[in-house]
Amino acid sequence: VSVPQVALALFCSVNAWVCMCEMGLCIYCNEIKEKYEQHTAKLGVGKLPPVFLFERATFSEWLSLRYWAVSMWATYATIDPSYADSCSFGFCVDVGNGFSSLVPTVLFAVGMTQPFVPARVLGMIGLVKFYQEFYGTVIYYFQYFFNQRYKRVPLSHVLGIVIPANGLWIVFPALGMWASVCLILEGNYSFFGH
């Protein structure tokens, strides 16, 4: 086991959960838009509602994709309303990531821990998967700032939520691309201590 392996295992675990939530973004888009509009009507433009993790919810709600997707995306939409608009880039890139990245994320996490395919094969899967996530995030940042969505919220929200939350999908995919290239070039799992 190596430090990059632990870091990528944690990231892949978080990413798999986020992929599920991104699928929920698609499935529950109308409810997300409705809840976002309720937040905006009640609190005003760009005002964050109370953190949904502290809302009263039943155990079955906590275990449901609907609860997580609607609560998470309706809250984030107060910072970037593209998540309440199924025609926007932010919505489409995350829905696309959710449906296209879940299987490669799980394969990479399992494969780097318990190799079951040749290192070069896992490296190719990882390189494509991590590049997609890196590129999608770079373009997301571009559209967020180019469209001046930051103007609707306090700077503290941009610096404390938008940049770090999305920055994870820059830092860890960059590490994943490096790991994947090592798997391809070396043809073994030595990068991960195997």
Side-chain angles (χ1 to χ4, degrees):
V1 176
S2 66
V3 172
Q5 180 182 3
V6 171
L8 287 172
L10 290 171
F11 174 72
C12 286
S13 299
V14 169
N15 193 60
W17 176 75
V18 170
C19 284
M20 295 298 297
C21 290
E22 289 168 334
M23 290 179 199
L25 176 61
C26 179
I27 295 165
Y28 301 109
C29 62
N30 293 331
E31 290 179 58
I32 292 165
K33 182 177 182 179
E34 184 179 311
K35 191 165 186 174
Y36 157 72
E37 288 171 349
Q38 290 170 1
H39 288 325
T40 303
K42 182 178 178 183
L43 304 170
V45 171
K47 304 287 188 207
L48 279 175
V51 178
F52 70 91
L53 296 173
F54 302 112
E55 288 179 356
R56 190 175 282 283
T58 66
F59 185 69
S60 62
E61 287 174 320
W62 272 82
L63 295 177
S64 74
L65 176 60
R66 181 176 180 255
Y67 172 79
W68 287 98
V70 173
S71 299
M72 182 172 77
W73 296 119
T75 300
Y76 193 77
T78 61
I79 295 171
D80 183 353
S82 64
Y83 288 87
D85 177 4
S86 61
C87 296
S88 71
F89 176 81
F91 177 93
C92 292
V93 74
D94 275 357
V95 167
N97 181 63
F99 283 99
S100 66
S101 292
L102 180 60
V103 171
T105 294
V106 172
L107 288 175
F108 195 86
V110 171
M112 72 175 171
T113 305
Q114 184 61 48
F116 64 95
V117 295
R120 286 188 171 101
V121 171
L122 190 67
M124 288 184 276
I125 291 169
L127 191 58
V128 171
K129 168 208 151 10
F130 289 118
Y131 179 78
Q132 172 192 323
E133 293 164 356
F134 180 90
Y135 178 77
T137 305
V138 168
I139 300 302
Y140 171 74
Y141 275 142
F142 168 76
Q143 70 84 33
Y144 183 81
F145 289 102
F146 184 79
N147 292 316
Q148 300 180 358
R149 291 203 164 96
Y150 60 89
K151 287 186 174 182
R152 62 182 282 115
V153 296
L155 180 61
S156 61
H157 291 11
V158 175
L159 297 176
I161 300 169
V162 175
I163 291 176
N166 291 286
L168 296 174
W169 275 264
I170 297 280
V171 173
F172 288 100
L175 175 61
M177 287 187 284
W178 176 41
S180 297
V181 167
C182 289
L183 292 173
I184 293 166
L185 294 178
E186 296 169 8
N188 61 49
Y189 285 89
S190 61
F191 186 85
F192 297 123
H194 299 290

